[in-house]
Amino acid sequence: MIHRLSTLFVRTLRDDPAEAEVPSHRLLVRAGYIRRAAPGGYTWLPLGMRVLQRVEQIVREEMNAIGAQEVHFPALLPREPYDATGRWTDYGPNLFRLQDRRGVDYLLGPTHEEMFTLLVKDLYGSYKDLPVWLYQIQTKYRDEARPRAGLLRGREFVMKDSYSFDLDDDGLQRSYDAHRAAYVKIFARLGLDVVIVKAMSGAMGGSASEEFLSPCASGEDTFVRCSACDYRANTEAVRIGTVPAIDASGTPAARVVDTPNTPTIQTLVDLLNGRDDLRRTPSDASASGNAGAWSAADTLKNVLVMLRHPDGSRTPLAIGVPGDREVDTKRLEAAVSPAEVDAFGDADFASRPGLVKGYIGPDVLGEKKPLGIRYLLDPRVVAGSAWVTGANEPGHHVVHLVHGRDFTADGVIDVAEVRDTDPCPTCGSHLRIERGIEMGHVFQLGRKYAEVLGLQVLDEKGKQRVVTMGSYGVGVSRAVAAIAELHHDQLGLRWPRSVAPMDVHVVIAGKPGDDTGPAAEALAAELSKAGLHVLLDDRDGVSPGVRFKDAELLGMPMIVIAGRGVAKGVLEVRDRIAGTTTELPIDQVAAHVIAASA
Ligand code: ATP
Ligand code: MG
């Protein structure tokens, strides 16, 4: 089919849109694929629509190939099922809630576990009906705190979500493996390299889950890969290995030290190293893993945050981490989800005068202490380890404070930052940190949803059994941006053939009335007859220079230029993917382009 630029609904922009933070966003707007319509909401223009539809089609084909069946739910959903599972509340401010004219509550679906569970419950009742795999490609709504980067994080976006229903755990494993394998194929066809990592389950609940991340500098997720074994995890899901307890029998008694003018950990460490009477002991040394002088790793930093729960209530949380590490906000958010994390503000300090800012120590922390602040420790703060920490008095610290002997906490929380070269929890080699875009997520949900919503079937012995479920998502609109993020150069987009909106872009680059127009038209007709989608730049009054620039920006895999060469019987063929430019005799061009597009 021939699509003429003279009538195609598209306008390219010379300048980058002001709000665009990443290349894909910049290029998709400049090349006229999408337009921003609302915060986190984008209009698909004809070229963008074609890419979206091709991505959807690849996803659909691979889902159908494993035997999943397509259905379609409304996006406007009733409150009750989401109340039953607690997600009406747990989703907190991320859920779009609304009311109809009678004042009845509805939501715009952020994901559809509840609805699929109820659908299967409605229609199925026997083990013989299982397994069944259902999916939809549908618009989802989430009131994201930070919509960003165009299609990468929208508040309205397209997702493929599928759900598996099985009688037993082996069945669930098979369903999960089938989806995982289908995802590997989908991302390969989309031209996206992905790394499969261990993940957290978040508001979804359930047990095992993995994410498909596309490595990319502008990705919002960070993940680790072990340099030696096959351990891979989202940093949110990294659990440091067990740290052995320490024998503190030789550690001196805890002692409060006057430490004036030590507002930072470094000033404190310098002061300690200047004091001959404050030698490090083996338990101090083993806590930080290095003998010799005191270092930031010998100090215990108590970080305070406020947790905002889905019901709006707020509770304080204190986290004790070795002073050489920060608390990683994303790891913390994932660990306390569905609660959200707020800073511990001046008002929070003011209402708790027992907290001495900058000198907070374990003495005043813990649920059973008068302040009632829940206190959790990094797993590195093992029993027997000795620490330098706040003495709850301005200008004072305590040294040799031993965990288990001198203080206790309410539990453990593994949310300290993960660093490049940290040891791998599986094999001890070095971890490497990379960034990526989350493209897909597969979950073994188990029986959580089926139990609450009463999805049971009769087993072979006539007994009611709760069904076990999996849920599997692909970010379809996000994929369009991720592909653009990966496939572009300084000139513009460079679509892989599998998703390009057109196969070839034919440019008329001569003067009105010369023989370039007829040559281009003839080629376009021949390519179209062979089944290719041809974008033909037949615009009036647009200079050849602008046409070349637009062709590069729009990013079709092949560009054919009918210019000065036509007089000599040749056309210029540019392969945007291979980055090559060749001149070919006019009568060979069609065969060349058709072969390359196959
Ligand atoms: P994220 O961590 O990026 O917020 P999520 O873990 O909340 O994503 P899931 O619930 O696992 O997302 O949704 C399945 C898939 O839908 C994700 O893997 C991602 O590709 C896509 N997706 C999720 N949120 C968005 C969004 N706001 N905009 C575009 N795509 C999204
Ligand atoms: Mg996810």
Side-chain angles (χ1 to χ4, degrees):
M1 198 171 159
I2 301 177
H3 309 255
R4 292 174 183 275
L5 254 182
S6 55
T7 52
L8 186 69
F9 188 65
V10 63
R11 283 285 178 276
T12 56
L13 310 179
R14 204 157 307 239
D15 299 314
D16 289 335
E19 78 280 7
E21 305 140 272
V22 299
S24 61
H25 186 193
R26 218 163 55 223
L27 290 169
L28 288 170
V29 172
R30 273 190 54 206
Y33 283 69
I34 57 170
R35 290 295 287 173
R36 183 176 177 278
Y42 286 82
T43 308
W44 297 90
L45 304 185
L47 288 173
M49 220 30 220
R50 292 181 66 85
V51 180
L52 178 67
Q53 284 166 345
R54 294 198 75 184
V55 171
E56 284 183 6
Q57 192 51 27
I58 287 173
V59 172
R60 184 173 281 123
E61 283 169 18
E62 295 300 335
M63 294 314 298
N64 293 344
I66 60 168
Q69 302 174 59
E70 186 167 4
V71 300
H72 198 85
F73 276 91
L76 182 64
L77 302 174
R79 169 175 174 165
E80 291 70 30
Y82 287 78
D83 251 343
T85 58
R87 292 210 293 182
W88 174 266
T89 313
D90 284 355
Y91 254 105
N94 289 314
L95 194 64
F96 279 106
R97 299 174 180 82
L98 63 165
Q99 291 191 334
D100 71 4
R101 62 171 78 206
R102 292 182 198 83
V104 177
D105 284 325
Y106 285 83
L107 61 111
L108 295 177
T111 169
H112 281 65
E113 279 74 8
E114 285 82 350
M115 303 311 294
F116 275 82
T117 309
L118 289 174
L119 180 69
V120 173
K121 178 184 173 179
D122 246 4
L123 298 175
Y124 275 7
S126 159
Y127 74 96
K128 290 182 198 150
D129 297 326
L130 304 182
V132 62
W133 302 342
L134 303 175
Y135 76 97
Q136 63 177 346
I137 296 175
Q138 204 236 17
T139 305
K140 299 283 193 254
Y141 296 86
R142 295 182 186 179
D143 193 356
E144 299 275 0
R146 294 173 286 272
R148 71 177 277 279
L151 301 173
L152 283 179
R153 181 169 302 281
R155 299 203 297 173
E156 171 171 326
F157 59 96
V158 182
M159 195 202 287
K160 186 286 300 177
D161 45 328
S162 38
Y163 305 84
S164 66
F165 300 85
D166 282 277
L167 191 65
D168 54 29
D169 294 352
D170 290 348
L172 170 57
Q173 188 66 48
R174 279 192 296 276
S175 297
Y176 182 87
D177 291 344
H179 278 84
R180 198 177 184 274
Y183 278 24
V184 169
K185 289 192 183 154
I186 287 170
F187 295 121
R189 288 183 64 186
L190 294 179
L192 287 172
D193 293 328
V194 287
V195 180
I196 304 176
V197 305
K198 234 193 240 305
M200 295 280 282
S201 301
M204 217 65 82
S207 53
S209 98
E210 288 171 297
E211 282 167 353
F212 289 71
L213 301 182
S214 166
C216 174
S218 48
E220 281 185 272
D221 283 88
T222 54
F223 67 99
V224 298
R225 267 197 238 237
C226 178
S227 50
C229 73
D230 59 8
Y231 180 78
R232 282 149 177 54
N234 192 307
T235 48
E236 291 173 1
V238 170
R239 292 291 155 261
I240 73 163
T242 23
V243 186
I246 292 169
D247 175 12
S249 54
T251 309
R255 170 175 163 200
V256 174
V257 185
D258 195 4
T259 53
N261 305 321
T262 53
T264 63
I265 291 183
Q266 195 50 48
T267 52
L268 172 64
V269 167
D270 291 345
L271 179 138
L272 295 177
N273 281 325
R275 296 259 310 243
D276 288 341
D277 60 326
L278 295 176
R279 292 275 160 74
R280 292 173 83 230
T281 68
S283 55
D284 295 305
S286 21
S288 69
N290 67 43
W294 296 98
S295 75
D298 296 314
T299 67
L300 177 64
K301 177 163 67 181
N302 295 301
V303 178
L304 286 163
V305 295
M306 288 302 282
L307 300 185
R308 190 163 19 87
H309 301 280
D311 65 3
S313 65
R314 292 168 92 239
T315 53
L317 174 67
I319 303 161
V321 290
D324 64 331
R325 288 190 191 249
E326 301 299 329
V327 168
D328 179 321
T329 312
K330 281 195 84 182
R331 273 162 60 71
L332 175 59
E333 279 170 353
V336 300
S337 162
E340 297 195 47
V341 179
D342 284 344
F344 200 85
D346 290 339
D348 298 313
F349 273 108
S351 62
R352 294 173 185 83
L355 295 174
V356 184
K357 212 171 171 175
Y359 299 92
I360 298 164
D363 258 8
V364 298
L365 302 174
E367 280 174 329
K368 299 207 180 75
K369 302 283 171 64
L371 288 173
I373 300 175
R374 187 168 165 73
Y375 184 36
L376 301 174
L377 293 173
D378 183 80
R380 295 168 187 85
V381 188
V382 292
S385 58
W387 300 89
V388 179
T389 188
N392 303 303
E393 273 182 71
H396 289 78
H397 283 88
V398 54
V399 296
H400 305 312
L401 194 75
V402 174
H403 181 204
R405 182 187 75 179
D406 304 322
F407 74 99
T408 55
D410 301 310
V412 176
I413 189 165
D414 192 354
V415 294
E417 64 181 296
V418 176
R419 290 198 199 128
D420 209 55
T421 74
D422 267 352
C424 168
T426 311
C427 77
S429 293
H430 288 167
L431 294 178
R432 283 198 313 256
I433 298 192
E434 292 177 51
R435 298 189 76 82
I437 300 172
E438 180 186 326
M439 292 314 313
H441 200 160
V442 288
F443 294 91
Q444 297 196 9
L445 290 177
R447 298 189 166 78
K448 170 181 157 172
Y449 289 88
E451 221 143 57
V452 176
L453 297 169
L455 170 57
Q456 303 192 342
V457 292
L458 288 176
D459 70 9
E460 282 157 300
K461 298 191 183 104
K463 261 186 57 190
Q464 289 282 359
R465 295 249 306 256
V466 178
V467 166
T468 183
M469 294 170 52
S471 122
Y472 317 90
V474 170
V476 173
S477 49
R478 179 179 284 187
V480 173
I483 296 166
E485 201 63 37
L486 210 63
H487 299 275
H488 71 270
D489 59 17
Q490 70 286 0
L491 302 172
L493 295 160
R494 250 170 50 176
W495 295 109
R497 294 187 204 285
S498 59
V499 299
M502 309 278 167
D503 300 297
V504 52
H505 188 144
V506 179
V507 179
I508 302 170
K511 295 204 178 68
D514 69 12
D515 52 4
T516 57
E521 291 279 357
L523 174 69
E526 197 176 344
L527 294 172
S528 169
K529 223 171 99 196
L532 266 52
H533 285 277
V534 184
L535 184 60
L536 179 64
D537 191 349
D538 60 343
R539 291 175 294 180
D540 275 336
V542 177
S543 73
V546 170
R547 290 177 193 228
F548 298 152
K549 278 215 161 58
D550 279 349
E552 279 152 345
L553 178 62
L554 291 175
M556 303 320 141
M558 291 235 143
I559 302 172
V560 181
I561 296 163
R564 268 191 220 110
V566 172
K568 294 185 293 172
V570 295
L571 299 177
E572 186 180 308
V573 180
R574 295 189 190 170
D575 185 324
R576 282 285 277 148
I577 296 173
T580 54
T581 300
T582 44
E583 280 197 340
L584 286 179
I586 292 178
D587 60 356
Q588 290 176 24
V589 172
H592 176 84
V593 171
I594 290 164
S597 307

